Amino acid sequence: MILGIDIGGANTKITEMKSDGTYKIHHIYFPMWRNNKELTNLLAKYNHKDITKIALVMTAELADSYETKKEGVIDILNSVKNAFPNKEIFIFDVDGNFLTPSEAVKQHIKVSASNWTATAEFVKNNICPNDNCILIDMGSTTTDIIPIVNGKIVAQKTDLDRLINNELLYVGTLRTPISFLSNTVEYKCKNENTTINVSSEYFAITGDINIIMDKITTNDYTCDTPDGAPTNKQNCKIRLSKVLCGDLEQIGEEEINEVAKQFYAKLLNLIKSNVDKVATKYNINNIVITGLGEPILIDALRQEYNIISIKEGYNKDVSLATPSFAVAELLNKTKR
Amino acid sequence: MILGIDIGGANTKITEMKSDGTYKIHHIYFPMWRNNKELTNLLAKYNHKDITKIALVMTAELADSYETKKEGVIDILNSVKNAFPNKEIFIFDVDGNFLTPSEAVKQHIKVSASNWTATAEFVKNNICPNDNCILIDMGSTTTDIIPIVNGKIVAQKTDLDRLINNELLYVGTLRTPISFLSNTVEYKCKNENTTINVSSEYFAITGDINIIMDKITTNDYTCDTPDGAPTNKQNCKIRLSKVLCGDLEQIGEEEINEVAKQFYAKLLNLIKSNVDKVATKYNINNIVITGLGEPILIDALRQEYNIISIKEGYNKDVSLATPSFAVAELLNKTKR
């Protein structure tokens, strides 16, 4: 059995894949910026005796627990080695190669934030129509926009270069602070719409908007809520009302729904404007979508693009954990 | 002796004022969203036997520890009463009156976020030239923009109404996430400037920018840093480089300074555009400034406005804790 592991800043995902291709997927909310010392213990729970190889991708090396990516890569690799002392470990890099741990330390920039490359290789080999598509993975925290052109992944390699080229958009389905979407909002005051300032405090996140707009379920809202209160719609509205420095009594249900709609529209615009730039650059109309944000990507893009959903083609589990699934599948088919 | 207390979301400030007007000021970083249960213990340390009256203002009722403002006001008042069981307590309201605790509970909306009113009353009575000025208090978290017209404070009363009228701007000297200032930045890439996406993660705050730009000292950076690392310039640059998903090795000192300059310019623009709207509405050119952000307000406004600084007129201590100083001074001069 191969274990595909994707260690992100906020979530770790693990795919147990048998040699016949059957699989089981685990989603674990595990904030690395405060838990990184516990990573070995977490992973060791999944060290069963029938596992032969570990296929690893990561993004958590960017977490605040580390000053540099190198420090992060080394610490994460040590945790994985300690959790699986008797197994072969392979780390997928941004060029599509599997490296040994010692190779990975030497090439820490290449294994840094390579989880999206695993997904891209998998989509390129199995899904991409006519070898040309844009793969979009909208997770809890970020949205990866990955052009595949003539059967080649032409995306930039580092997060910095991906930000520069509209290929990494730092908005996600759950964890993006509402105030990142806009520092103003239209608000109905004495029957007139006025543009008003909003709070920059960490009061509400995209998870709250997406619950209010019925785009995700309360079970999908797997991260901490900003106020520690439950994920139900009423509490999401309470959190959103704080972004306007009000409470729900003061603002009212109807108006808070209007505010949610506006922030949702800003989220869709941000996605579409970035996808448009990449699509125009490569003249591509086919979009493969995956991740918790699939319904949001559909809202943002269905009018202008041909959309292929991994959730529909496979299932929700694979869509929510594509990099861990993909890296296991890629190692399964690799000779290394 | 009168104790002036200002309980904010992140900081509590206490002014001990003797009847002859001499005073001593205490600044305490005390995040109410996680410490509210400890407030009584904190305040009790300042309960000396020669204190006769407590003058109180608050904004912490908006903190995430409370679902509604009413709940917050009641809990804070209980903490104050428990800390000073044998003293007279008066709460300053947004209309400029001192209320008893039982009156304050009944009128919780009026005592909610009234700290700026205390500062405004004080400025109106002691500083405002020709009874017309705009008072601007830039603290760690927010900027209050308070018009005083013909000797009357004409600002809106609730935070929501103040957001609507450009009188509350949710950017401060320390705690504002950089990504609130803008979700893109110009970045020099292959000698060309490109507009690039930035991370929405809580990687860096205005305190980091203001340290890099030499607008505050490392001692002024009194809140938690996003990564828990020190407040020195090097660590501020490390934090800022993470906003671009890079590290300082990758981006370089020179370019990170450029990025800091840009975010600082965005901060100045945000302040100026809001002040301009209020100044135009009331046709006022005199600005009274106070708070940790005085140097930033000067950068933003000196070209177009006549500026009077409380730090220069009094001292830095008063400038950093004006509401607690003002509410003590107001109670000192009140018959109640």
Side-chain angles (χ1 to χ4, degrees):
Chain A
M1 190 163 79
I2 287 175
L3 218 55
I5 305 179
D6 174 18
I7 301 172
N11 294 282
T12 284
K13 288 153 186 179
I14 298 177
T15 296
E16 297 172 342
M17 187 172 283
K18 294 190 180 156
S19 52
D20 64 359
T22 58
Y23 58 86
K24 188 176 172 188
I25 294 177
H26 305 271
H27 308 258
I28 308 124
Y29 177 61
F30 189 78
M32 280 287 284
W33 58 90
R34 57 173 188 249
N35 292 348
N36 65 309
K37 303 252 179 296
E38 301 299 314
L39 182 61
T40 299
N41 291 340
L42 174 81
L43 296 177
K45 291 179 199 161
Y46 298 88
N47 188 358
H48 306 306
K49 63 177 189 303
D50 45 349
I51 293 167
T52 51
K53 292 178 192 170
I54 309 293
L56 177 69
V57 285
M58 64 178 85
T59 50
E61 73 287 348
L62 194 66
D64 266 340
S65 15
Y66 308 117
E67 277 203 5
T68 65
K69 294 184 183 195
K70 188 173 184 178
E71 183 191 330
V73 168
I74 290 171
D75 182 62
I76 291 165
L77 282 175
N78 282 337
S79 296
V80 175
K81 284 191 281 184
N82 291 336
F84 305 99
N86 45 354
K87 316 285 173 176
E88 282 192 290
I89 298 166
F90 297 102
I91 303 97
F92 198 69
D93 79 359
V94 289
D95 292 331
N97 304 311
F98 280 105
L99 307 183
T100 64
S102 59
E103 288 167 347
V105 169
K106 278 181 208 142
Q107 312 209 40
H108 66 273
I109 291 290
K110 281 199 174 177
V111 298
S112 179
S114 68
N115 63 346
W116 62 270
T117 329
T119 304
E121 280 288 331
F122 171 74
V123 166
K124 188 190 79 179
N125 298 342
N126 298 284
I127 303 168
C128 189
N130 305 318
D131 289 343
N132 285 288
C133 70
I134 296 172
L135 161 63
I136 308 181
D137 183 351
M138 185 173 185
S140 66
T141 309
T142 57
T143 301
D144 295 315
I145 302 169
I146 302 160
I148 299 174
V149 181
N150 298 325
K152 278 189 70 174
I153 300 158
V154 296
Q156 300 295 319
K157 299 291 166 77
T158 66
D159 275 3
L160 175 59
D161 284 332
R162 293 166 67 222
L163 283 177
I164 293 171
N165 288 279
N166 303 96
E167 293 169 6
L168 171 57
L169 176 59
Y170 231 102
V171 300
T173 315
L174 299 181
R175 294 184 56 254
T176 312
I178 290 310
S179 58
F180 183 71
L181 300 175
S182 176
N183 47 29
T184 59
V185 73
E186 295 295 305
Y187 184 75
K188 197 182 247 176
C189 174
K190 296 169 191 154
N191 283 318
E192 265 182 57
N193 275 331
T194 325
T195 305
I196 77 167
N197 292 324
V198 302
S199 171
S200 60
E201 208 65 70
Y202 187 67
F203 283 140
I205 53 184
T206 41
D208 298 309
I209 299 292
N210 290 325
I211 288 281
I212 298 172
M213 298 295 292
D214 291 318
K215 301 300 168 186
I216 58 169
T217 68
T218 53
N219 286 338
D220 292 330
Y221 195 147
T222 51
C223 68
D224 295 330
T225 57
D227 57 359
T231 59
N232 64 58
K233 203 177 269 191
Q234 185 67 10
N235 279 97
C236 291
K237 289 179 182 176
I238 289 172
R239 285 187 283 274
L240 185 55
S241 66
K242 291 197 175 188
V243 176
L244 275 62
C245 297
D247 62 24
L248 203 45
E249 290 171 23
Q250 233 178 336
I251 294 174
E253 293 273 342
E254 198 183 335
E255 189 58 29
I256 211 70
N257 288 337
E258 277 306 310
V259 170
K261 259 187 217 170
Q262 281 185 60
F263 280 113
Y264 188 67
K266 287 171 197 288
L267 176 64
L268 299 187
N269 283 340
L270 214 49
I271 293 166
K272 184 160 185 301
S273 66
N274 278 274
V275 172
D276 283 351
K277 280 181 191 153
V278 178
T280 304
K281 183 171 173 185
Y282 295 107
N283 191 24
I284 292 178
N285 190 256
N286 287 316
I287 307 266
V288 176
I289 61 170
T290 191
L292 181 58
E294 281 205 21
I296 301 161
L297 294 173
I298 290 171
D299 282 351
L301 303 170
R302 74 180 142 203
Q303 288 203 311
E304 290 192 26
Y305 296 94
N306 175 40
I307 293 177
I308 301 144
S309 152
I310 287 189
K311 185 167 138 189
E312 281 174 29
Y314 291 75
N315 56 52
K316 191 173 174 181
D317 253 5
V318 173
S319 171
L320 294 186
T322 321
S324 75
F325 175 84
V327 78
E329 226 249 10
L330 289 164
L331 187 60
N332 208 6
K333 290 187 175 166
T334 301
K335 282 184 188 143
R336 180 139 198 180
Chain B
M1 190 163 80
I2 287 174
L3 218 57
I5 305 178
D6 173 17
I7 301 171
N11 294 283
T12 284
K13 286 153 187 179
I14 298 177
T15 297
E16 298 172 341
M17 187 173 284
K18 293 190 183 158
S19 51
D20 64 0
T22 58
Y23 57 86
K24 188 176 171 188
I25 293 176
H26 305 271
H27 308 257
I28 309 124
Y29 177 61
F30 189 77
M32 278 288 285
W33 59 90
R34 59 174 187 249
N35 292 349
N36 64 309
K37 303 252 180 293
E38 301 299 315
L39 181 60
T40 298
N41 291 340
L42 174 80
L43 295 177
K45 290 179 200 160
Y46 298 88
N47 188 358
H48 305 307
K49 63 175 186 305
D50 44 350
I51 294 168
T52 52
K53 293 178 191 170
I54 309 293
L56 178 68
V57 286
M58 64 178 85
T59 50
E61 72 287 347
L62 194 68
D64 266 341
S65 14
Y66 309 116
E67 278 203 4
T68 64
K69 294 184 181 193
K70 189 174 183 177
E71 184 191 329
V73 168
I74 290 171
D75 183 62
I76 291 165
L77 282 176
N78 283 336
S79 296
V80 175
K81 283 191 283 185
N82 291 336
F84 304 99
N86 45 353
K87 315 286 175 178
E88 281 192 289
I89 298 166
F90 297 102
I91 303 97
F92 198 68
D93 79 0
V94 288
D95 292 331
N97 304 311
F98 280 106
L99 307 182
T100 64
S102 60
E103 287 167 347
V105 169
K106 280 183 205 138
Q107 313 209 42
H108 65 274
I109 292 289
K110 282 200 175 177
V111 298
S112 179
S114 68
N115 63 347
W116 60 271
T117 329
T119 305
E121 281 287 332
F122 172 74
V123 166
K124 189 190 81 179
N125 298 340
N126 298 284
I127 303 168
C128 189
N130 304 319
D131 289 342
N132 285 287
C133 70
I134 296 171
L135 160 64
I136 308 179
D137 183 351
M138 185 172 187
S140 68
T141 309
T142 58
T143 302
D144 296 316
I145 302 169
I146 302 160
I148 299 175
V149 180
N150 298 325
K152 278 189 69 175
I153 300 159
V154 297
Q156 300 294 320
K157 298 293 166 73
T158 67
D159 274 5
L160 175 58
D161 285 331
R162 293 165 68 220
L163 283 177
I164 294 171
N165 288 280
N166 303 96
E167 294 169 6
L168 171 58
L169 176 60
Y170 231 101
V171 300
T173 314
L174 299 181
R175 294 183 56 252
T176 311
I178 290 310
S179 58
F180 183 72
L181 300 176
S182 175
N183 47 30
T184 59
V185 73
E186 295 296 304
Y187 184 75
K188 196 182 247 175
C189 173
K190 294 167 194 155
N191 284 320
E192 265 182 56
N193 274 330
T194 325
T195 305
I196 78 166
N197 292 324
V198 302
S199 171
S200 59
E201 208 66 70
Y202 187 68
F203 283 141
I205 53 183
T206 40
D208 298 309
I209 299 293
N210 290 325
I211 288 280
I212 298 172
M213 299 294 293
D214 292 317
K215 300 300 168 186
I216 58 170
T217 68
T218 53
N219 286 338
D220 292 330
Y221 195 148
T222 51
C223 68
D224 295 331
T225 57
D227 58 359
T231 59
N232 63 58
K233 203 177 269 193
Q234 184 69 8
N235 279 96
C236 292
K237 289 180 182 176
I238 288 171
R239 284 187 283 274
L240 185 56
S241 66
K242 291 197 173 186
V243 176
L244 275 62
C245 296
D247 62 24
L248 202 47
E249 290 171 24
Q250 233 178 335
I251 295 176
E253 293 272 341
E254 198 183 337
E255 190 57 30
I256 212 68
N257 288 338
E258 277 305 311
V259 170
K261 260 188 216 169
Q262 280 185 62
F263 279 114
Y264 188 67
K266 287 171 198 286
L267 176 63
L268 299 187
N269 284 339
L270 214 49
I271 293 166
K272 183 159 185 300
S273 67
N274 278 273
V275 172
D276 282 350
K277 281 182 192 154
V278 177
T280 304
K281 185 171 172 186
Y282 296 107
N283 192 25
I284 292 178
N285 189 256
N286 287 316
I287 307 265
V288 177
I289 61 171
T290 190
L292 182 58
E294 281 204 20
I296 301 160
L297 294 174
I298 290 171
D299 282 352
L301 304 169
R302 73 180 143 205
Q303 287 203 312
E304 289 193 26
Y305 296 95
N306 175 38
I307 294 177
I308 301 143
S309 152
I310 288 189
K311 185 166 138 191
E312 281 175 29
Y314 291 76
N315 56 52
K316 191 173 176 182
D317 253 3
V318 173
S319 172
L320 293 186
T322 320
S324 75
F325 175 83
V327 77
E329 225 249 9
L330 289 164
L331 187 59
N332 208 6
K333 290 189 174 165
T334 301
K335 285 189 186 136
R336 180 139 197 181

